[in-house]
Amino acid sequence: LVNDKVRNLLKNYYHGNFKVTRFYFGRNYHVPNQILDKQEVFSNRWHCDGDNTTFVKLFLYLSDVTEKDGPFHIQGKKRTKELIKMGFGNRNNYKISTEELDKDVTKLKGQKGTIFLCNCQMGLHRAGVPDIGHYRDHIIIQFGPSNKPLSDDWAKEFFDPHAIDF
């Protein structure tokens, strides 16, 4: 999952060492609009994550992701600033129209094995909702700065509570 290309990218991003701070698998299924209108189901409403801005997430698609499979939606940093200046509120009360929010959206589609990095604190984003009979499988690994290099056994260490570098 974290090959040499990803390690080099992250080392350049952090100008040094990094560690895994969170790791999870997910599957997004179709959810009817009458449910989505009442509640958020799987981060499907526009938001910025509330974590420290030093965190970056690596997304890995475990299935092919087309428009029908509910791709990840993201606004660029510049567009996010524009939407906030327009009065964007939060994931529970946008305070601006969804038509405005849905302009200039990048939908991250790709084949199984597609990866991308995202600083989810810096740009508005949301999970797409799959069509009926479709789903999106993914892994998300969150990284943060570290005092020591990521070991080759990072996964074993991550799941061993006695070995994690806090």
Side-chain angles (χ1 to χ4, degrees):
L1 294 174
V2 185
N3 60 29
D4 288 341
K5 185 176 182 179
V6 171
R7 284 176 185 265
N8 288 334
L9 185 65
L10 288 166
K11 189 165 184 140
N12 288 331
Y13 180 83
Y14 284 111
H15 301 286
N17 299 317
F18 56 90
K19 63 184 174 184
V20 175
T21 60
R22 198 177 292 162
F23 182 100
Y24 53 97
F25 296 88
R27 173 175 273 188
N28 293 2
Y29 291 99
H30 172 75
V31 178
N33 284 338
Q34 57 266 36
I35 294 172
L36 294 175
D37 290 343
K38 294 178 185 174
Q39 67 185 39
E40 184 167 31
V41 178
F42 45 73
S43 296
N44 53 289
R45 293 186 179 167
W46 287 106
H47 67 282
C48 289
D49 290 0
D51 293 321
N52 186 309
T53 57
T54 62
F55 293 135
V56 65
K57 291 181 180 176
L58 180 142
F59 291 76
L60 167 65
Y61 284 158
L62 299 175
S63 57
D64 292 344
V65 177
T66 67
E67 183 70 32
K68 293 182 177 196
D69 304 305
F72 186 80
H73 294 59
I74 190 161
Q75 296 283 359
K77 190 175 177 179
K78 181 179 176 184
R79 177 70 175 148
T80 295
K81 287 180 180 182
E82 290 171 4
L83 291 166
I84 290 170
K85 285 180 183 177
M86 293 170 142
F88 176 81
N90 60 51
R91 69 193 327 151
N92 297 314
N93 184 3
Y94 292 159
K95 296 184 180 180
I96 59 176
S97 72
T98 53
E99 291 79 17
E100 189 64 47
L101 278 166
D102 289 338
K103 290 181 186 174
D104 303 317
V105 173
T106 299
K107 297 180 182 180
L108 299 171
K109 300 173 262 190
Q111 296 177 333
K112 177 181 177 178
T114 296
I115 64 168
F116 54 93
L117 289 171
C118 179
N119 186 323
C120 294
Q121 293 71 240
M122 304 298 287
L124 286 165
H125 61 280
R126 70 180 188 89
V129 179
D131 289 353
I132 294 173
H134 291 263
Y135 60 89
R136 176 169 53 97
D137 287 341
H138 54 277
I139 292 174
I140 302 172
I141 306 172
Q142 180 175 278
F143 297 94
S146 176
N147 294 328
K148 63 182 184 178
L150 186 70
S151 80
D152 291 335
D153 289 334
W154 70 267
K156 181 180 176 186
E157 293 171 6
F158 182 79
F159 292 105
D160 178 359
H162 304 291
I164 297 176
D165 169 29
F166 288 101

